[in-house]
């Protein structure tokens, strides 16, 4: 029970072996991968031995896009921190904090739109 998934259940010490074609095995492995579970868990769920877990599918996105969005988000946080410090120290008279904050919110909303999961099977990028 290394990851706590079998809490309250007897240990899984028995195994079952069955024969299948390479194509059938490939389909099972693909289904398990797509469901985000192990092959054993997929089989237990298919046989009704355990409750099916309801997991949201992991969104498919370009890793480069996500990395760049993370960098942009970090820059936005630095700007927001600078605005908060300027406001706290009273040096905000030199800047129009409302305009900057409005632009930051617009950027954040645009980033959220870029990373929102799409309804089609196509990844957002």
């Amino acid at each position: 029970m290394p990851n706590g998934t079998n809490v309250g259940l007897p240990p899984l010490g028995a195994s079952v072996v069955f024969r299948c074609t390479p194509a059938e095995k490939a389909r099972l492995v693909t289904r398990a991968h797509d469901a985000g579970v192990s092959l054993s868990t997929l089989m237990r769920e298919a046989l009704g031995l355990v409750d099916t877990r309801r997991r949201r599918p992991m969104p498919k996105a370009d890793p480069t896009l996500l990395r760049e969005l993370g960098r942009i988000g970090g820059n936005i946080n630095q700007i927001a921190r600078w605005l908060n410090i300027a406001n706290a120290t009273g040096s905000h008279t030199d800047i129009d904090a409302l305009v900057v904050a409005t632009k930051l919110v617009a950027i954040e909303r645009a980033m959220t739109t870029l990373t929102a999961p799409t309804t089609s099977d196509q990844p957002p990028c």
Side-chain angles (χ1 to χ4, degrees), residues 8-84:
L9 298 176
L12 302 174
S15 61
V16 175
V17 178
F18 73 96
R19 294 188 178 280
C20 62
T21 67
E24 290 170 332
K25 181 178 179 182
R27 285 180 54 202
L28 288 170
V29 170
T30 300
R31 282 188 183 177
H33 180 268
D34 291 347
V37 297
S38 68
L39 188 54
S40 298
T41 301
L42 179 76
M43 299 300 280
R44 281 190 209 95
E45 289 176 356
L47 293 172
L49 300 175
V50 295
D51 289 334
T52 304
R53 296 183 296 160
R54 302 284 182 203
R55 295 173 82 176
R56 283 188 7 209
M58 188 67 113
K60 296 176 183 171
D62 180 19
T64 305
L65 172 67
L66 295 178
R67 188 171 33 257
E68 291 302 317
L69 287 172
R71 288 180 182 153
I72 293 168
N75 290 338
I76 289 173
N77 285 337
Q78 289 178 4
I79 294 168
R81 189 176 305 122
W82 175 76
L83 281 172
N84 289 333

Side-chain angles (χ1 to χ4, degrees), residues 83 96-106:
L83 281 172
D96 190 350
L98 184 59
V99 170
V100 175
T102 303
K103 297 293 184 185
L104 287 175
V105 169

